[in-house]
């Protein structure tokens, strides 16, 4: 499928950068994007190539699609919490976000993985994601809470 493919034909599919022409969709239907805690600042500290790929994944989530590199985050019980892992210069960077809510996409955590235990999520990061997910749930329901 080339860049000229319609969004209608891509509905429900994993999308790569080459398959989407961002000029052909209606941005007014895009979900809002909310950054929980220090996520935006943390992402901005990452290398430009990582920021670009994560940014594109979030953009796709806002318009109802899934980036080819986005995978469900294990240990959180649903496919509504996604993880994008980007490798850059021998380092692994992660961005965790949720599409669980109909009104918005929430970025829960952005970090450089430094664990020495393989691909497992470090416990402090998993705990922070859970706290921020609770804050996102409250925000989505209209209850403000400045956690994380």
């Amino acid at each position: 499928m080339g860049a000229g493919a319609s969004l209608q034909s891509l509905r429900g599919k994993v999308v790569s950068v080459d398959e989407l022409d961002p000029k052909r969709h209606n941005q007014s239907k895009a979900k809002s994007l909310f950054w929980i805690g220090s996520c935006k600042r943390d992402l901005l500290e990452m290398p430009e190539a990582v920021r670009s790929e994560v940014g594109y994944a979030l953009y796709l989530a806002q318009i109802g699609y899934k980036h080819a590199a986005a995978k469900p985050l294990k240990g959180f019980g649903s496919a509504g919490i996604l993880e994008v892992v980007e490798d850059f210069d021998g380092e692994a960077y992660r961005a965790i976000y949720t599409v669980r809510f109909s009104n918005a996409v929430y970025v829960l955590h952005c970090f450089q993985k430094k664990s020495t235990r393989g691909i497992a999520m470090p416990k402090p990061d998993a705990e922070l994601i859970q706290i921020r997910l609770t804050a996102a749930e409250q925000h989505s329901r209209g209850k403000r809470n400045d956690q994380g």
Side-chain angles (χ1 to χ4, degrees), residues 36-58:
I36 306 293
S38 64
C39 292
K40 189 171 185 179
R41 182 178 64 244
D42 297 339
L43 179 63
L44 291 174
E45 292 176 2
M46 294 179 181
E48 192 279 330
V50 174
R51 292 191 314 261
S52 179
E53 201 64 23
V54 169
Y56 188 66
L58 294 172

Side-chain angles (χ1 to χ4, degrees), residues 65-125:
Y65 299 98
K66 182 180 166 193
H67 190 281
K71 308 289 183 223
L73 182 63
K74 294 179 181 179
F76 284 85
S78 84
I81 300 175
L82 300 169
E83 171 182 45
V84 175
V85 178
E86 282 299 314
D87 294 320
F88 181 81
D89 201 23
E91 303 291 335
Y93 297 87
R94 292 183 174 188
I96 314 297
Y97 61 96
T98 184
V99 295
R100 220 182 241 188
F101 311 108
S102 62
N103 62 332
V105 173
Y106 289 87
V107 185
L108 303 173
H109 195 25
C110 296
F111 63 105
Q112 180 179 354
K113 185 173 179 307
K114 296 181 180 180
S115 174
T116 58
R117 296 178 12 186
I119 62 171
M121 171 79 62
K123 187 176 180 181
D125 291 304

